Amino acid sequence: KAGVTQTPRYLIKTRGQQVTLSCSPISGHRSVSWYQQTPGQGLQFLFEYFSETQRNKGNFPGRFSGRQFSNSRSEMNVSTLELGDSALYLCASSRTSGTMETQYFGPGTRLLVL
Amino acid sequence: SQQGEEDPQALSIQEGENATMNCSYKTSINNLQWYRQNSGRGLVHLILIRSNEREKHSGRLRVTLDTSKKSSSLLITASRAADTASYFCATDGYTDKLIFGTGTRLQVFP
């Protein structure tokens, strides 16, 4: 089975721009979660999508949004980028929703905002 | 804010030695999980322990959970250079989302 894939792997943007990151879950997995990882704040939960619906949301501003398609692929969008948005963005998929499920992580998208 | 804090922040040992990492958390949980991350890449799930379990083994890994102290430990026995990574605990805090700790950076020297 192919693992979780994320595109692009690396991205450089400037302040004020917007960015869209993509995540393809493991085949058959219906839940996709997104995390932001920075040296200062560590790993922080952004949101979770299950069957095209957002189930959970972390404490991030409305500039961070996401969606999930009928094939379970997910995208997250960050608008009006700030320097502090520079981070490794990780997505994880699981068969179903809930924290008892093992999450399988992708390699991440490293975003640098200049 | 993070639910868990790992201790120590960094650990250096020789191959063959055991490595112990601790995780403390703040609120009640349904389960606690441990993950490994190699050098800024994706995380790999290691083990899940439920709140009604006290100890769990998986290969060279042993995890304990003490819900009265709100703490867990991860023991890696007979460590190898390939175990060099950051290790994170994650809890659900009685919610539907995982909250990760600060991580322990483990360096295993050959």
Side-chain angles (χ1 to χ4, degrees), chain A residues 1-108:
Chain A
K1 240 184 198 179
V4 177
T5 58
Q6 291 186 245
T7 56
R9 294 292 311 278
Y10 303 92
L11 205 48
I12 300 176
K13 291 284 189 178
T14 55
R15 276 181 301 174
Q17 288 186 310
Q18 66 96 27
V19 67
T20 299
L21 311 182
S22 180
C23 173
S24 293
I26 291 172
S27 177
H29 285 195
R30 294 166 62 194
S31 170
V32 174
S33 297
W34 288 89
Y35 296 86
Q36 180 197 63
Q37 186 176 29
T38 61
Q41 298 297 317
L43 266 159
Q44 293 190 289
F45 173 79
L46 279 157
F47 28 64
E48 180 203 1
Y49 285 87
F50 178 74
S51 292
E52 301 178 67
T53 301
Q54 186 180 89
R55 286 204 76 241
N56 281 297
K57 192 175 191 306
N59 294 325
F60 278 81
R63 299 186 296 107
F64 292 82
S65 62
R67 59 178 176 167
Q68 186 179 35
F69 302 95
S70 58
N71 62 358
S72 294
R73 190 177 70 84
S74 178
E75 289 181 347
M76 68 162 279
N77 185 79
V78 187
S79 62
T80 320
L81 283 166
E82 301 177 0
L83 296 179
D85 297 332
S86 294
L88 179 67
Y89 290 89
L90 295 161
C91 83
S93 76
S94 57
R95 286 179 308 125
T96 184
S97 186
T99 58
M100 298 300 285
E101 289 287 320
T102 296
Q103 295 200 19
Y104 296 84
F105 281 79

Side-chain angles (χ1 to χ4, degrees), chain B:
Chain B
S1 62
Q2 273 147 338
Q3 161 80 315
E5 280 197 20
E6 280 90 338
D7 169 62
Q9 286 189 330
L11 180 61
S12 295
I13 59 174
Q14 296 288 133
E15 258 189 335
E17 293 181 336
N18 294 341
T20 300
M21 288 158 264
N22 303 297
C23 167
S24 60
Y25 56 91
K26 297 173 185 171
T27 65
S28 296
I29 60 172
N30 289 311
N31 70 79
L32 184 145
Q33 303 182 36
W34 285 90
Y35 285 82
R36 184 186 77 221
Q37 184 179 35
N38 288 86
S39 190
R41 297 185 182 177
L43 281 76
V44 174
H45 181 263
L46 296 176
I47 199 164
L48 180 153
I49 186 165
R50 297 169 193 262
S51 61
N52 61 354
E53 296 176 310
R54 291 296 167 256
E55 189 170 311
K56 207 162 181 180
H57 296 254
S58 177
R60 293 183 296 112
L61 306 180
R62 190 190 91 166
V63 169
T64 61
L65 179 64
D66 187 336
T67 52
S68 66
K69 294 181 179 177
K70 292 188 170 56
S71 68
S72 173
S73 69
L74 170 67
L75 168 68
I76 304 174
T77 60
S79 62
R80 306 165 182 166
D83 295 328
T84 294
S86 291
Y87 292 82
F88 295 87
C89 67
T91 56
D92 61 355
Y94 253 43
T95 66
D96 273 347
K97 53 191 181 187
L98 279 182
I99 303 172
F100 284 82
T102 50
T104 292
R105 286 192 314 278
L106 173 65
Q107 175 81 50
V108 182
F109 292 99

